[in-house]
């Protein structure tokens, strides 16, 4: 939770692990309702109304969901793995009854008909959804501002919380790093899982193809898209993987599991019986690890060089010592995967956009299977058909198909924003063209011309990478997750943009080729840069379906290095404390009940004044221990008369109307019973 204190003598400790939170709940030190209220308190103080802006859409039934979890405990029902533990999901995940805009104004009011597969699995395991996290429109970028703006860094406000060109899970990492939930669910298409994790000292797993169902998530580039959990430590990641890396019988909406051309291994052949078995600190002993020279200041062979910041190199050499101290041999190496297949690294920045396109295709011959025609289809028809399928499967009558959508609103450029530079790197998405490509008789995704050959080619390229690993006798490769971090004003300042759009900064290291070929990665904290005070990650990568090995290596490294640091701008609050004493009565004890109402008026001086009132109820043999009312994170004095309560005086609030949800006044009424049970209500007021 925010700052659960479960192990004295550390009464205040931000960033409690899932296991620590579970212990607090199991011991009856706190209820899930109280836990949620503590997270929401941090969100009110640090995230809303022009602050970090990471969770723009709250789950308005979060307290009811938490109360249902508390009821299971009190009734003696089986306790599920994540019982009562709060989490977030990226805005591209479907959550039944909530909007699923994917950050785009065009889909602002699109309502999900069901939970995405991973959301369903987490909720079935008892997890409680806090809300949905920020992202650029359709995940087609990184730190561009979408319908909800963007999230900011909790470490250094002068820098971006994710890579500008591919860090679309920016809200997921900010909220997880700032302890607004126990963990976050994100995605990656190019580097949108790895990059934000690196910039926030988090752990991210980008899985091999088909291991985690992505059904129920908005697609971007279906050949690349994967689900990515964000956690504050590897142990938490393993707990989540135990729940979400399970078989999904439905394949529609999950490109790689639905395509018929490339056989994927059965999940049972890849995942361990329990991810807990991977927690071995000695797994790096005797391992031979390659580090590509291009990522540690030796990128001269590249047409578009990578200039790694010295403070990142300093952290790398510390990481190298840690790896060697754990018994691994670290070898500097060339990296043919990038020099042969990465279009960003082959682009000559000095040439025109058209020349850049041609250069990027020079290693993609017709005989290779990745033709210029396929490159166009992958960025046009494949995207269009996937989006259209998503809308048709969702069944919202206001959005029956992609052809009903205003293309100009899919990814509008915010006022004052500089033009993006994707055209210099290859063919960008044309949203007007994408919408025009769908029709009733368009055929299926799998009928697109050239797909079978293209997918087979991607597999062959991946196998060539694996052959190289084997020929070099590498168990895996590691590298700094990025060469530098972009400045916060990149979208409006040309000098900042010039630096941010450089190779190694615009994306995570590895660029699109890592995801395009289905190469699994684990990124863990490598430390804090001395000069910028921004985190940077260390990425482990290896053969497809070697995910368990990479998880073992990452766990061993993290246990030894302990490089994660708490963000500067979201320190602990007094309300984060949990007393380590049993309070919650089990065996069917009833929780108290509370209601809340708000009346807003404007006085003669034009001030907006808010008056709150409500009721509460308790069982005949129970009583009320505490009633706490907060407005935007500030405690408000109340008067209690019988079963009614109201604020002592009017509260002055913002008079603006028509505000976005994240800018509304957030009111919470929390009542604690003497039996340890609790109840709460959440109210958002314009």
């Amino acid at each position: 939770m925010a700052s659960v204190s479960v192990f004295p003598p550390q009464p205040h400790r931000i960033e409690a692990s899932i296991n620590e939170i579970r212990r607090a709940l199991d011991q009856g030190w706190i209820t899930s309702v109280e836990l949620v209220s503590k997270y929401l308190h941090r969100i009110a103080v640090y995230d809303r109304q022009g602050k970090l802006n990471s969770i723009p859409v709250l789950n308005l039934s979060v307290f009811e969901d938490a109360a249902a979890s508390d009821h299971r405990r009190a009734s003696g029902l089986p306790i599920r793995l994540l019982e009562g533990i709060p989490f977030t999901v990226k805005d591209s995940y479907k959550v039944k009854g909530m909007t699923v805009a994917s950050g785009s104004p065009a889909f602002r009011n699109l309502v999900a008909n069901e939970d995405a597969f991973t959301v369903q699995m987490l909720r079935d395991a008892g997890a409680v959804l806090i809300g949905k996290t920020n992202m650029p429109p359709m995940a087609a970028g990184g730190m561009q501002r979408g319908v909800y703006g963007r999230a900011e860094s909790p470490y250094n406000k002068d820098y971006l919380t994710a890579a500008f060109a591919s860090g679309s899970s920016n809200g997921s990492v900010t909220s997880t790093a700032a302890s607004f939930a126990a963990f976050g669910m994100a995605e990656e298409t190019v580097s949108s899982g790895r990059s934000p994790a690196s910039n926030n000292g988090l752990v991210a797993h980008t899985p091999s193809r088909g291991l985690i169902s992505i059904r129920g998530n908005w697609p971007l580039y279906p050949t690349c898209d994967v689900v990515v959990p964000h956690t504050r430590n590897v142990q938490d990641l393993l707990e989540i993987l135990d729940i979400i890396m399970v078989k999904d019988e439905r394949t529609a909406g999950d490109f790689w599991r639905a395509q018929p051309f490339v056989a994927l291994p059965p999940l049972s052949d890849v995942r361990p019986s329990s991810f807990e078995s991977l927690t071995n600190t000695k797994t790096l002993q005797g391992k031979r690890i390659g580090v590509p020279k291009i990522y540690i200041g030796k990128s001269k062979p590249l047409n578009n060089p990578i200039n790694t910041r010295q403070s990142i190199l300093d952290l790398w050499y510390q990481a190298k010592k840690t790896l060697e101290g754990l018994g691994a041999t670290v070898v500097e190496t060339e990296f043919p995967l990038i020099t042969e297949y990465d279009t960003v690294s082959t682009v000559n920045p000095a040439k025109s956009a058209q020349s850049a396109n041609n250069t990027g295709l020079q290693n993609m011959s017709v005989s290779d299977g990745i033709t210029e025609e396929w490159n166009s289809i992958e960025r046009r028809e494949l995207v269009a058909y996937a989006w259209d399928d998503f809308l048709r499967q969702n069944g919202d009558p206001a959005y029956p198909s992609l052809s009903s959508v205003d293309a100009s609103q899919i990814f509008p450029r915010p006022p004052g924003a500089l033009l993006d530079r994707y055209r210099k790197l290859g063919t960008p998405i044309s949203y007007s063209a994408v919408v025009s490509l769908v029709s009733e008789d368009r055929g299926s995704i799998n009928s697109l011309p050239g797909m079978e050959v293209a997918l087979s080619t991607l597999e062959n390229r991946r196998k060539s990478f694996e052959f190289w690993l084997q020929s070099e006798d590498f168990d895996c490769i590691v590298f700094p997750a990025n060469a530098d971090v972009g400045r916060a004003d990149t979208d409006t300042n040309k000098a900042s943009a010039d630096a941010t759009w450089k190779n190694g900064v615009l994306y995570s290291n590895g660029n699109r080729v890592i995801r395009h070929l289905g190469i699994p990665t684990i990124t863990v904290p490598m430390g804090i840069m001395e000069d910028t005070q921004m985190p940077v990650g260390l990425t482990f990568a290896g053969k497809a379906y070697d995910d368990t090995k990479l998880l073992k290596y990452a766990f061993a490294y993290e246990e030894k290095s302990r490089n994660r640091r708490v963000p500067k701008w979201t320190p602990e609050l007094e309300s984060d404390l949990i007393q380590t004493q049993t309070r919650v009565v089990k065996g069917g004890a009833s929780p108290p009940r509370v209601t809340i109402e708000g009346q807003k008026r404007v006085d003669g001086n034009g001030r907006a004044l808010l008056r709150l009132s409500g009721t509460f109820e308790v069982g005949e043999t129970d009583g009320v221990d505490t009633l706490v009312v907060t407005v935007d994170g500030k405690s408000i004095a109340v008067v209690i008369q019988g079963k009614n309560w109201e604020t002592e005086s009017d509260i002055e609030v913002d008079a603006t109307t028509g505000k976005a949800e994240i800018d509304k006044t957030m009111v919470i009424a929390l009542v604690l019973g003497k039996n340890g049970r609790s109840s709460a209500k959440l109210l958002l007021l314009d």
Side-chain angles (χ1 to χ4, degrees):
M1 160 259 95
S3 35
V4 178
S5 64
V6 295
F7 296 116
Q10 293 179 307
H12 293 273
R13 198 172 76 76
I14 295 176
E15 310 200 320
S17 67
I18 288 175
N19 191 50
E20 291 171 329
I21 298 171
R22 181 186 294 119
R23 183 185 178 196
L25 290 163
D26 288 347
Q27 293 294 323
W29 298 340
I30 194 171
T31 65
S32 182
V33 166
E34 291 175 87
L35 188 63
V36 166
S37 73
K38 289 178 180 291
Y39 279 123
L40 288 176
H41 187 72
R42 288 184 65 81
I43 290 167
V45 172
Y46 293 129
D47 198 52
R48 296 173 63 81
Q49 299 181 350
K51 298 167 189 167
L52 292 179
N53 200 44
S54 68
I55 308 178
V57 181
L58 291 173
N59 173 16
L60 298 182
S61 63
V62 62
F63 280 126
E64 287 72 20
D65 295 346
S69 177
D70 288 337
H71 178 71
R72 285 183 64 95
R73 289 181 183 275
S75 302
L77 296 173
I79 304 303
R80 299 166 293 183
L81 291 175
L82 294 178
E83 195 69 71
I85 296 176
F87 73 108
T88 65
V89 296
K90 191 174 178 177
D91 190 41
S92 51
Y93 284 69
K94 288 208 287 187
V95 177
K96 187 175 182 178
M98 295 183 69
T99 55
V100 57
S102 198
S104 173
F107 303 105
R108 180 194 301 267
N109 299 313
L110 176 66
V111 177
N113 67 327
E114 63 181 350
D115 286 348
F117 176 76
T118 48
V119 174
Q120 178 188 343
M121 291 298 99
L122 292 167
R123 292 177 120 176
D124 286 350
V128 175
L129 179 68
I130 286 275
K132 306 190 75 180
T133 53
N134 218 334
M135 60 183 292
M138 310 311 293
M143 290 300 296
Q144 297 90 341
R145 300 174 196 272
V147 66
Y148 307 122
R150 73 179 192 193
E152 303 297 340
S153 171
Y155 287 90
N156 188 334
K157 296 178 180 180
D158 291 334
Y159 291 91
L160 295 170
T161 200
F164 190 83
S166 179
S168 65
S169 302
N170 57 72
S172 175
V173 287
T174 291
S175 60
T176 304
S179 292
F180 298 155
F183 63 92
M185 294 300 298
E187 294 170 321
E188 178 166 293
T189 299
V190 177
S191 66
S192 292
R194 291 174 290 143
S195 159
S198 178
N199 285 20
N200 285 272
L202 295 180
V203 176
H205 172 216
T206 61
S208 299
R209 290 170 177 153
L211 289 189
I212 303 175
S213 172
I214 199 168
R215 177 175 60 81
N217 291 51
W218 265 108
L220 177 56
Y221 291 131
T223 52
C224 300
D225 300 336
V226 291
V227 162
V228 179
H230 279 147
T231 64
R232 292 186 288 269
N233 58 73
V234 176
Q235 181 70 57
D236 283 358
L237 172 64
L238 299 178
E239 295 221 30
I240 295 164
L241 292 178
D242 248 336
I243 294 164
I244 65 173
M245 195 181 286
V246 294
K247 187 175 182 180
D248 180 6
E249 299 293 344
R250 294 164 57 187
T251 60
D254 187 331
F255 175 81
W256 278 101
R257 292 190 307 116
Q259 56 78 34
F261 308 116
V262 175
L264 305 182
L267 183 59
S268 58
D269 290 353
V270 179
R271 70 153 284 166
S273 57
S274 170
F275 282 89
E276 179 68 25
S277 65
L278 307 185
T279 55
N280 184 338
T281 58
K282 297 181 179 180
T283 53
L284 283 168
Q285 288 183 0
K287 297 299 183 288
R288 180 177 161 88
I289 300 175
V291 54
K293 295 178 183 178
I294 58 174
Y295 300 136
I296 55 171
K298 303 174 183 180
S299 68
K300 289 183 179 179
L302 298 182
N303 198 24
N304 187 7
I306 299 168
N307 297 309
T308 304
R309 194 181 191 101
Q310 183 60 48
S311 56
I312 293 179
L313 292 176
D314 294 341
L315 292 173
W316 155 246
Y317 287 112
Q318 292 176 20
K320 180 174 181 286
K321 289 180 181 179
T322 300
L323 293 168
E324 291 172 339
L326 289 165
T329 300
V330 181
V331 180
E332 294 184 5
T333 180
E334 305 301 332
F335 199 22
L337 177 75
I338 296 300
T339 54
E340 292 181 17
Y341 298 132
D342 177 40
T343 58
V344 174
S345 296
T346 58
V347 164
N348 187 332
K351 294 185 177 181
S352 68
Q354 184 59 45
S355 296
N357 286 340
N358 293 338
T359 304
L361 295 170
Q362 68 183 7
N363 293 313
M364 299 181 179
S365 63
V366 173
S367 60
D368 190 27
I370 303 294
T371 63
E372 187 170 357
E373 179 185 9
W374 173 255
N375 273 284
S376 176
I377 290 173
E378 192 174 25
R379 289 167 172 81
R380 288 166 50 90
E381 284 85 354
L382 186 56
V383 174
Y385 288 16
W387 287 358
D388 192 44
D389 284 346
F390 181 89
L391 291 172
R392 291 176 183 273
Q393 291 162 8
N394 188 63
D396 185 334
Y399 298 85
S401 67
L402 186 61
S403 60
S404 67
V405 173
D406 181 354
S408 69
Q409 291 301 301
I410 293 179
F411 200 149
R413 183 157 59 98
L418 299 172
L419 288 173
D420 287 335
R421 305 184 186 185
Y422 293 110
R423 190 169 297 279
K424 293 184 178 180
L425 306 173
T427 306
I429 296 177
S430 169
Y431 297 102
S432 59
V434 164
V435 171
S436 70
L437 290 171
V438 296
S439 62
E440 291 295 332
D441 59 350
R442 62 169 171 80
S444 71
I445 278 183
N446 292 330
S447 68
L448 286 170
M451 178 178 287
E452 181 175 5
V453 174
L455 298 190
S456 297
T457 300
L458 293 178
E459 285 293 283
N460 289 335
R461 289 182 174 185
R462 174 181 59 76
K463 291 174 183 177
S464 71
F465 163 67
E466 294 172 356
F467 177 80
W468 171 79
L469 284 174
Q470 184 173 341
S471 66
E472 296 290 336
D473 197 26
F474 289 143
D475 293 283
C476 70
I477 57 171
V478 299
F479 47 87
N482 44 281
D484 205 344
V485 58
R487 296 193 70 87
D489 62 352
T490 289
D491 56 340
T492 58
N493 184 308
K494 184 179 181 301
S496 296
D498 289 343
T500 297
W501 282 91
K502 290 182 177 179
N503 197 5
V505 189
L506 80 162
Y507 302 145
S508 288
N509 284 331
N511 298 333
R512 184 180 181 233
V513 70
I514 294 285
R515 281 279 51 75
H516 209 199
L517 302 191
I519 295 169
T521 72
I522 313 292
T523 297
V524 296
M526 192 170 69
I528 300 283
M529 288 181 267
E530 185 176 1
D531 48 358
T532 66
Q533 291 299 295
M534 285 289 289
V536 65
L538 180 69
T539 296
F540 292 76
K543 296 180 180 179
Y545 306 103
D546 266 1
D547 298 59
T548 55
K549 290 182 180 179
L550 298 176
L551 288 163
K552 288 180 181 179
Y553 302 158
F555 177 83
Y557 171 79
E558 182 196 51
E559 284 292 296
K560 180 67 174 180
S561 60
R562 299 285 181 174
N563 285 325
R564 171 149 177 81
R565 298 293 180 267
V566 176
K568 172 183 177 181
W569 293 105
T570 54
E572 66 186 24
L573 300 170
E574 184 178 352
S575 59
D576 292 334
L577 178 65
I578 290 178
Q579 298 291 341
T580 55
Q581 61 185 44
T582 301
R583 298 184 297 104
V584 181
V585 177
K586 298 183 180 180
S590 298
R593 305 293 182 192
V594 66
T595 66
I596 185 170
E597 293 181 357
Q599 293 183 334
K600 187 176 177 181
R601 65 182 179 86
V602 178
D603 69 7
N605 297 318
R607 298 183 306 161
L609 301 176
L610 177 65
R611 170 76 66 166
L612 300 172
S613 62
T615 63
F616 61 88
E617 298 180 8
V618 295
E620 292 183 1
T621 60
D622 301 321
V624 171
D625 183 61
T626 308
L627 173 65
V628 179
V629 177
T630 60
V631 176
D632 293 332
K634 298 177 181 178
S635 294
I636 302 299
V638 298
V639 175
I640 298 175
Q641 294 182 338
K643 294 182 178 180
N644 300 302
W645 66 268
E646 67 175 356
T647 49
E648 284 187 350
S649 58
D650 290 339
I651 306 158
E652 186 171 356
V653 295
D654 183 6
T656 307
T657 58
K659 294 188 286 287
E661 180 183 304
I662 199 169
D663 294 320
K664 291 182 178 181
T665 299
M666 185 168 79
V667 182
I668 295 174
L670 170 69
V671 60
L672 307 178
K674 290 183 178 179
N675 61 5
R677 299 293 301 278
S678 57
S679 179
K681 290 293 181 182
L682 168 66
L683 187 64
L684 299 180
L685 297 173
D686 199 355

